Amino acid sequence: MVAGLVLAGTGITGCGSTAPAADPKPGASVTTPSVTATPTPTVPAVSHTPTPTPTRSGGNGDSTDPHKPATAGGGICSDITDAEVAHVLGGTYTGSAIAGGPGCSFVRANPKAPAATFIETSYAKTTGGMSGAKTDATSSVEGTPVDLAGIGDAAFVVTGTTFGGPYVNGAGAVRIGDRLINVTLDQSTGLGATQVRSLVVALLRLAAGQAGRP
């Protein structure tokens, strides 16, 4: 009778308990869940290319070479100084040879200030002589050339807009023997035709005087 109660109690105890988790056996491998890391997105490097500084061009549309002085433009450019151009146009001017030459341009730091350009060529090689020089001048400055007396062997000036632009510009040429010196004035300060004409005539006189024939 006692033995039966013991057996019965043992059975009751077994039914009401939860079996603990078994410890891994010594030497058994334990599998650890793997964790996948989220990759960090790669940001491509951005290359910053410096913006080139534009070069101021003279009235004839040719860019200047700031590394070469005006004298490197040859011809009359060897005889005209920054100070002489500044005396005519006012302000402080710096001359530079036209890239690819011949010729030179004189400009001020203010990009709107008048810029003067001088180019010397051979009169004998100029197609049409002074008429041809006038045609060349009016191909950019839209106006009617006017002959000038008392400057070199022959000279003319023309004023007008350039390719329909809003400002009046000027051009001209003076002949001294076989030398033909072309002058252009490019401005965007709002100077009128009379003022532009006076400046171009003064530049022509300067060129003629420096060439030995005022």
Side-chain angles (χ1 to χ4, degrees):
M1 184 68 178
V2 174
L5 292 173
V6 172
L7 290 175
T10 302
I12 294 171
T13 302
C15 294
S17 64
T18 301
D23 293 331
K25 296 181 180 181
S29 61
V30 178
T31 303
T32 303
S34 60
V35 179
T36 303
T38 303
T40 302
T42 302
V43 180
V46 179
S47 175
H48 296 282
T49 303
T51 303
T53 303
T55 302
R56 171 70 183 269
S57 62
N60 67 341
D62 295 319
S63 61
T64 59
D65 187 344
H67 302 293
K68 292 184 179 180
T71 54
I76 193 62
C77 295
S78 301
D79 303 314
I80 296 178
T81 67
D82 297 351
E84 289 167 340
V85 174
H87 181 72
V88 173
L89 302 180
T92 301
Y93 276 78
T94 301
S96 300
I98 293 176
C104 53
S105 285
F106 293 82
V107 300
R108 280 171 53 184
N110 180 0
K112 290 186 177 182
T117 301
F118 298 84
I119 299 177
E120 179 177 328
T121 57
S122 168
Y123 181 76
K125 296 180 180 179
T126 300
T127 303
M130 290 302 286
S131 295
K134 292 176 181 178
T135 300
D136 289 340
T138 55
S139 65
S140 57
V141 178
E142 300 160 346
T144 301
V146 177
D147 292 331
L148 300 172
I151 304 178
D153 296 323
F156 72 88
V157 62
V158 58
T159 58
T161 58
T162 301
F163 305 120
Y167 301 106
V168 176
N169 294 314
V174 56
R175 176 193 174 191
I176 302 172
D178 189 47
R179 304 172 69 178
L180 181 66
I181 302 171
N182 298 274
V183 175
T184 56
L185 182 77
D186 177 42
Q187 62 94 22
S188 57
T189 58
L191 297 177
T194 300
Q195 292 172 293
V196 171
R197 182 183 186 280
S198 296
L199 292 176
V200 174
V201 171
L203 292 172
L204 289 169
R205 290 189 184 279
L206 171 62
Q210 294 305 99
R213 194 79 59 84

